[in-house]
Amino acid sequence: MNYKEALQHNIFKIISKSASQLGFESYVIGGYVRDFILKRGQVKDIDIVAVGDGIKLAEQVAKNLPNNPQVQVFKTYGTAMLRYDDIEIEFVGARKESYTENSRNPSVKNGTLQDDQNRRDFTINTLALNLNEAQFGDLLDSFAGVKDLENKIIRTPLDPDITYSDDPLRMMRAIRFATQLDFIIEEQSLKAISKNSDRIKIITNERIVTELNKILESKKPSIGFLLLEKTGLLNYILPELTALKGIDEVEGQRHKDNFYHTLEVLDNISENTDNLWLRWAALLHDIGKAPTKKFSKKVGWTFHGHEFEGSKMVFHLFKRLKMPLNDKMKFVQKMVLMSSRPIALVNEEVTDSAVRRLMFDAGEFVDDLMTLCEADITTKNAKKFNKYHNNFKIVREKIVEVEERDHIRNFQPPISGEEIMKTFNIKPSREIGNIKETIKEAILEGDIPNEYEAAYELMLKEGKRLGLKVSVSQ
Ligand code: ATP
């Protein structure tokens, strides 16, 4: 491979020149080199190691760049960052690290490039390209990282037990890279992750969630969740999911393993959406099944109310992990709460009014809900599989048809409370709510169209029934 091709951008020549002006050596290291070899899409950031002062190098580069960009200095970490041509470039001095028991923040000493490669998490992230003039473009691969890239292996450069214990975030990163790249975590590493899994407790929730999101955004997220489960990490991070594991059997009746089912649903949905929050909804759609599971002789296993229980659990889970408690969380809650609605609907004949109610309750998210429910079909019985998909296709068609006619998706009552008050000359009262509810019900049932005239008529009729008189000023 011609590594010079990775260094065609003029920034590399400028870094090289700046480093030699200061008498430093400089290298590109980590993700940029890895992703170049993997031919992995767009470059977001470049990491530069200086054997010398990283912050000084950043400042020298900024001086040499045509637009003299601002340098952001992170004194505590000894790093600096500047942005050029939409690329973030991070500078750090080569360093040697040593860790203490209770923190993932090491004490740091200046070191050689080799020292700096030693402190990296995985062999595939130690790869460095030389930027010094005489060796420009030479690859420095002290840990056979290229071989690991070819063989699709995640391996730590040093003893995995120490690597993961020093900085337990690396356990999450190992699993995240394995998922994103579809790589295998080497056996000793996997053992070390299992052994050190409880060390994840010293990692902040924000960092854990960043990695979880990257796993969820991968092509096949189940790879990551299976590894999280296998290593014991999942039990610390998302115990709601491990609680779904297992199949109980009473009197010969078994229920499905809802953990593996969930992962199938997650992979299914990931083929059909890039929406991270819909993927979260798929991951959490059955979490209410663990606390609601019951066995009765008559009907076997039931999970009554698991959707409601699950949607409440979503709030606690988001709060615990310090995830946003905003409209994204409400969306996930809504999906979980409604996740059985379309299924219940196709068990009977698909009536217009049932479709209208579904659209009213799901609002603008009715398509997302359908996508979730289609992903939820994991039966291995081909006949049933086709039947369910076909039924959902009918529901989707009906949604389009009903929407064209009745505009339920963003339902706004055709008669406002204010108009009701004016018509009957009444103050805010329960009657207004009653009339509005009657109109809404009549529209959803299909008794009247979603139009002003018809709703006005019904308002008059309902007002009369409640003993209200039409105001003379009307
Ligand atoms: P991506 O951008 O896909 O997350 P990346 O490898 O560029 O991948 P960064 O988090 O930007 O990831 O890290 C840059 C480099 O820093 C890595 O390639 C790796 O060499 C090193 N690194 C990052 N985090 C750690 C860590 N926790 N322990 C050791 N080395 C790390």
Side-chain angles (χ1 to χ4, degrees), residues 270-281:
S270 301
E271 285 180 15
N272 291 313
T273 185
D274 291 331
N275 179 345
L276 172 65
W277 302 104
L278 191 50
R279 290 181 180 202
W280 267 106

Side-chain angles (χ1 to χ4, degrees), residues 344-413:
L345 199 143
V346 292
N347 281 339
E348 298 142 29
E349 201 199 332
V350 190
T351 62
D352 279 11
S353 61
V355 170
R356 269 194 293 269
R357 280 186 190 281
L358 181 75
M359 291 170 71
F360 178 77
D361 291 337
E364 59 181 309
F365 304 122
V366 71
D367 287 333
D368 289 332
L369 182 63
M370 292 308 297
T371 304
L372 174 59
C373 291
E374 281 157 355
D376 205 359
I377 304 171
T378 59
T379 171
K380 301 290 168 283
N381 176 329
K383 231 173 149 184
K384 280 191 186 168
F385 183 89
N386 290 333
K387 187 178 124 192
Y388 296 155
H389 269 283
N390 231 0
N391 286 349
F392 282 150
K393 210 173 131 211
I394 297 170
V395 176
R396 281 206 189 254
E397 282 163 9
K398 280 245 171 191
I399 289 174
V400 174
E401 201 184 298
V402 169
E403 178 57 18
E404 267 173 20
R405 201 176 55 223
D406 300 337
H407 312 290
I408 299 293
R409 201 180 284 234
N410 292 308
F411 184 84
Q412 297 292 336

Side-chain angles (χ1 to χ4, degrees), residues 30-32 34-35 40 44-45 47 99 104 119-121 125-126 167 169-170 173 176-177 180 214:
Y32 180 81
R34 178 197 70 220
D35 288 349
R40 209 171 156 237
K44 307 171 300 292
D45 48 28
D47 293 295
Y99 285 82
R104 60 175 293 262
R119 75 172 179 92
R120 304 265 157 183
D121 47 7
N125 287 344
T126 62
D167 177 2
L169 180 67
R170 293 169 181 159
R173 284 174 58 89
R176 184 256 289 188
F177 281 119
Q180 283 181 323
K214 288 185 180 180

Side-chain angles (χ1 to χ4, degrees), residues 9 336 344 404:
H9 199 292
V336 174
E404 267 173 20

Side-chain angles (χ1 to χ4, degrees), residues 9 61 65 77 99 105 127 133 164 196 285 304 311 324 345 386 401 406 424 427 439-440 450 460 463:
H9 199 292
V61 170
L65 281 171
Y77 299 104
Y99 285 82
N105 298 321
L127 297 167
E133 240 159 17
Y164 293 118
N196 289 288
H285 81 287
H304 285 310
S311 75
L345 199 143
N386 290 333
E401 201 184 298
D406 300 337
F424 299 110
K427 298 235 148 27
I439 295 172
K440 186 195 94 188
N450 185 14
L460 292 181

Side-chain angles (χ1 to χ4, degrees), residues 283-452:
L283 183 69
L284 304 181
H285 81 287
D286 269 350
I287 52 173
K289 280 193 173 171
T292 57
K293 180 161 76 179
K294 282 207 174 63
F295 181 81
S296 88
K297 280 196 170 165
K298 264 196 199 146
V299 285
W301 291 101
T302 64
F303 305 91
H304 285 310
H306 77 84
E307 302 86 350
F308 182 64
E309 186 62 31
S311 75
K312 282 196 299 185
M313 290 165 76
V314 167
F315 170 77
H316 294 292
L317 187 153
F318 269 52
K319 192 155 177 240
R320 185 184 73 233
L321 292 179
K322 305 225 164 52
M323 289 169 69
L325 299 177
N326 57 11
D327 55 325
K328 306 293 184 224
M329 182 210 59
K330 286 193 186 134
F331 167 78
V332 176
Q333 280 191 306
K334 186 164 202 155
M335 290 297 108
V336 174
L337 183 64
M338 294 192 70
S339 55
S340 306
R341 282 281 296 279
I343 301 160
L345 199 143
V346 292
N347 281 339
E348 298 142 29
E349 201 199 332
V350 190
T351 62
D352 279 11
S353 61
V355 170
R356 269 194 293 269
R357 280 186 190 281
L358 181 75
M359 291 170 71
F360 178 77
D361 291 337
E364 59 181 309
F365 304 122
V366 71
D367 287 333
D368 289 332
L369 182 63
M370 292 308 297
T371 304
L372 174 59
C373 291
E374 281 157 355
D376 205 359
I377 304 171
T378 59
T379 171
K380 301 290 168 283
N381 176 329
K383 231 173 149 184
K384 280 191 186 168
F385 183 89
N386 290 333
K387 187 178 124 192
Y388 296 155
H389 269 283
N390 231 0
N391 286 349
F392 282 150
K393 210 173 131 211
I394 297 170
V395 176
R396 281 206 189 254
E397 282 163 9
K398 280 245 171 191
I399 289 174
V400 174
E401 201 184 298
V402 169
E403 178 57 18
E404 267 173 20
R405 201 176 55 223
D406 300 337
H407 312 290
I408 299 293
R409 201 180 284 234
N410 292 308
F411 184 84
Q412 297 292 336
I415 300 279
S416 68
E418 206 153 307
E419 180 151 13
I420 300 171
M421 289 195 278
K422 250 197 197 156
T423 308
F424 299 110
N425 192 22
I426 52 173
K427 298 235 148 27
S429 57
R430 220 177 53 205
E431 279 85 353
I432 297 158
N434 288 347
I435 294 174
K436 280 179 86 172
E437 186 64 18
T438 305
I439 295 172
K440 186 195 94 188
E441 280 298 309
I443 292 170
L444 293 182
E445 273 306 301
D447 296 337
I448 65 167
N450 185 14
E451 285 164 10
Y452 178 80

